[in-house]
Amino acid sequence: MRPPPTPLKFGYGTNGFTHHRLADVLADLGYDGVALTLDHNHLDPYAEDLPRRVTALARQLDRLGLDVTVETGAPFFLDPWGKHLPTLMSDGSEPRIDLLRRALRIAADLGSPTVHLCSGPAPEGLPEEDAFKRLAEGVGVVLESAEKHGVALAFEPEPYMFVDTVERCLRLAQLVGGNPLFGVTLDIGHAHCVEEQPLLECVRLAAPLVRNVQIEDMRRGVHQHLEFGSGEIDFPAVLAALRDLDRRGLVSVEIQGGSLDAPEVARRSIEFLRTAERAAADL
């Protein structure tokens, strides 16, 4: 008999908590973890006293009993004028490679099993085959550091970026030789927003490579992260599908627009998800 699936572990993304101190509110609300976006706010990977900050954060997370996954999706961190620039496809990709290497070291020190990344936009005029080649080469360089630190990369398909669907992410996985440290961050809202196939089919396609899950409500064709119940997604069905995955990491809420009311948005979110999880048990 197949053993029962392990319960889902819910986290909350710090890109939706930009006006509060990290972690304390989330632990009080009953979250299991934190999706930590490296940025100027909660943890700057270029801070002069970075080792001290990482050590203090690791102790705080341990004290609160929170898991962590490290993310690198801050849109203007490297270039205040260019969203998600430079990318691994850019002519000057070195700053992005350096950031990802730093993220891997931080993840290892914090006990995060993964570092999240996304493609960003392809350079204007670059043919698709060349863009995939550059991206795969850049990911390959970063995977060398991932192997050194024992931390996996979790690549997220993002609407309106070069890699925007699960199928394109799977193509990239093939181009990096099926490296076991290359995985997927599956964003439920993004999949509903842009994918041609049904959402649950996207979960099935991504399942072998899923390392993390991001979750929020969304409407078809509109890339706006909504509170649960404000969009179109059937969450009990989604959570039932996620529950059956062998490897999924944290299921982290990502509602960046809720920062001004973050504690209440986070409270409503965990209550919604726990209710939906109970409903999923009957599916």
Side-chain angles (χ1 to χ4, degrees), residues 31-72:
Y31 280 91
D32 303 297
V34 176
L36 172 65
T37 295
L38 300 181
D39 204 346
H40 305 290
N41 186 20
H42 291 296
L43 187 65
D44 185 343
Y46 292 93
E48 292 184 0
D49 60 343
L50 180 63
R52 181 193 64 80
R53 294 189 185 194
V54 171
T55 298
L57 178 55
R59 289 173 178 168
Q60 181 189 22
L61 294 170
D62 182 66
R63 173 175 56 84
L64 295 171
L66 292 171
D67 292 344
V68 63
T69 182
V70 171
E71 303 196 351
T72 61

Side-chain angles (χ1 to χ4, degrees), residues 239-283:
L239 296 182
L242 295 177
R243 177 193 62 198
D244 295 333
L245 297 183
D246 292 330
R247 182 178 59 192
R248 58 171 177 264
L250 284 174
V251 179
S252 298
V253 179
E254 188 177 38
I255 306 177
Q256 303 99 316
S259 283
L260 290 177
D261 193 25
E264 282 303 304
V265 174
R267 179 188 60 77
R268 292 193 293 266
S269 297
I270 193 65
E271 290 175 354
F272 182 99
L273 289 170
R274 294 299 184 196
T275 299
E277 187 180 28
R278 289 192 291 271
D282 297 328
L283 298 179

Side-chain angles (χ1 to χ4, degrees), residues 151-164:
V151 175
L153 298 180
F155 203 102
E156 180 190 1
E158 176 94 18
Y160 316 120
M161 290 189 180
F162 179 68
V163 175
D164 57 353

Side-chain angles (χ1 to χ4, degrees), residues 139-167:
V139 170
V141 170
V142 179
L143 279 169
E144 294 175 3
S145 294
E147 291 166 357
K148 174 183 175 182
H149 294 289
V151 175
L153 298 180
F155 203 102
E156 180 190 1
E158 176 94 18
Y160 316 120
M161 290 189 180
F162 179 68
V163 175
D164 57 353
T165 66
V166 170
E167 287 189 344

Side-chain angles (χ1 to χ4, degrees), residues 13-213:
T14 59
N15 57 7
F17 251 82
T18 56
H19 304 296
H20 291 78
R21 294 183 186 276
L22 176 67
D24 297 278
V25 171
L26 299 180
D28 289 344
L29 290 172
Y31 280 91
D32 303 297
V34 176
L36 172 65
T37 295
L38 300 181
D39 204 346
H40 305 290
N41 186 20
H42 291 296
L43 187 65
D44 185 343
Y46 292 93
E48 292 184 0
D49 60 343
L50 180 63
R52 181 193 64 80
R53 294 189 185 194
V54 171
T55 298
L57 178 55
R59 289 173 178 168
Q60 181 189 22
L61 294 170
D62 182 66
R63 173 175 56 84
L64 295 171
L66 292 171
D67 292 344
V68 63
T69 182
V70 171
E71 303 196 351
T72 61
F76 295 102
F77 182 66
L78 291 177
D79 184 342
W81 302 101
K83 193 174 184 180
H84 297 293
L85 295 178
T87 76
L88 293 175
M89 299 169 285
S90 300
D91 288 335
S93 62
E94 292 81 6
R96 179 65 57 182
I97 291 172
D98 181 64
L99 173 61
L100 291 168
R101 285 173 168 164
R102 288 171 180 262
L104 287 162
R105 290 195 296 271
I106 291 168
D109 290 340
L110 291 178
S112 168
T114 58
V115 164
H116 153 283
L117 70 162
C118 50
S119 70
E124 186 175 353
L126 185 67
E128 178 167 304
E129 291 299 321
D130 293 339
F132 262 116
K133 181 180 179 182
R134 286 192 186 185
L135 183 57
E137 289 174 349
V139 170
V141 170
V142 179
L143 279 169
E144 294 175 3
S145 294
E147 291 166 357
K148 174 183 175 182
H149 294 289
V151 175
L153 298 180
F155 203 102
E156 180 190 1
E158 176 94 18
Y160 316 120
M161 290 189 180
F162 179 68
V163 175
D164 57 353
T165 66
V166 170
E167 287 189 344
R168 290 173 75 82
C169 200
L170 297 180
R171 178 179 175 185
L172 180 59
Q174 292 180 333
L175 290 173
V176 298
N179 190 305
L181 288 181
F182 181 91
V184 171
T185 293
L186 177 64
D187 189 297
I188 297 302
H190 291 173
H192 177 73
C193 177
V194 301
E195 296 275 5
E196 293 184 2
Q197 58 254 348
L199 176 54
L200 295 185
E201 177 63 13
C202 294
V203 176
R204 186 194 67 79
L205 281 173
L209 293 182
V210 167
R211 296 276 187 165
N212 287 311
V213 176

